[in-house]
Amino acid sequence: MTNPIQEEARQILDSLAFTLFDRCHPLSHNFDTIPAKVGLYAFRHPIEGLLYVGKAKNLRDRLRGGHKAFLWGWLDGYDPDDVRIAFVTLNQWQKPRLLYELETLILQATNPPYNVKIPREQ
């Protein structure tokens, strides 16, 4: 039997991993179409799937602030048109620890290649 956080993590993972690639947000310079809300996000490739999964208190600001996954994707030779962002916004999160727990469960289930390159914060 799964607990509520595990179930929530599974639903978020399904959304991040299985949203049609064409419905994911393309990379941009300003990310105006990304909401300024709490959420989890994933960099995705149409063939390789999830490249990176992260959390943010403000999705738009997190992506505007630059991201190491952009650099690594470029260095690894990905065409920018082949990398898109899926995200799930979260409402009424009163305990930041829950966001961390959701991200951790999703990372344990998927092990995206670019998350391995970033040391985990505790």
Side-chain angles (χ1 to χ4, degrees), residues 61-95:
D61 286 350
R62 175 68 179 112
L63 297 169
R64 279 181 176 169
H67 204 288
K68 290 180 182 178
F70 289 144
L71 175 60
W72 290 326
W74 178 74
L75 290 173
D76 287 346
Y78 286 117
D79 182 331
D81 292 333
D82 286 339
V83 177
R84 291 197 171 193
I85 300 167
F87 64 87
V88 174
T89 59
L90 304 174
N91 296 316
Q92 301 176 3
W93 285 98
Q94 297 159 351
K95 297 181 181 179

Side-chain angles (χ1 to χ4, degrees), residues 25-56:
H25 290 267
L27 301 180
S28 73
H29 292 289
N30 57 26
F31 295 103
D32 284 341
T33 59
I34 304 289
K37 292 187 173 185
V38 173
L40 288 114
Y41 61 95
F43 288 96
R44 296 220 351 235
H45 185 272
I47 296 168
E48 296 181 33
L50 295 175
L51 299 174
Y52 180 89
V53 174
K55 65 184 179 313

Side-chain angles (χ1 to χ4, degrees), residues 52-54 102-112 115 120:
Y52 180 89
V53 174
L102 286 169
E103 179 195 36
T104 299
L105 288 169
I106 291 168
L107 289 175
Q108 289 171 348
T110 60
N111 202 24
N115 286 89
R120 296 285 299 155

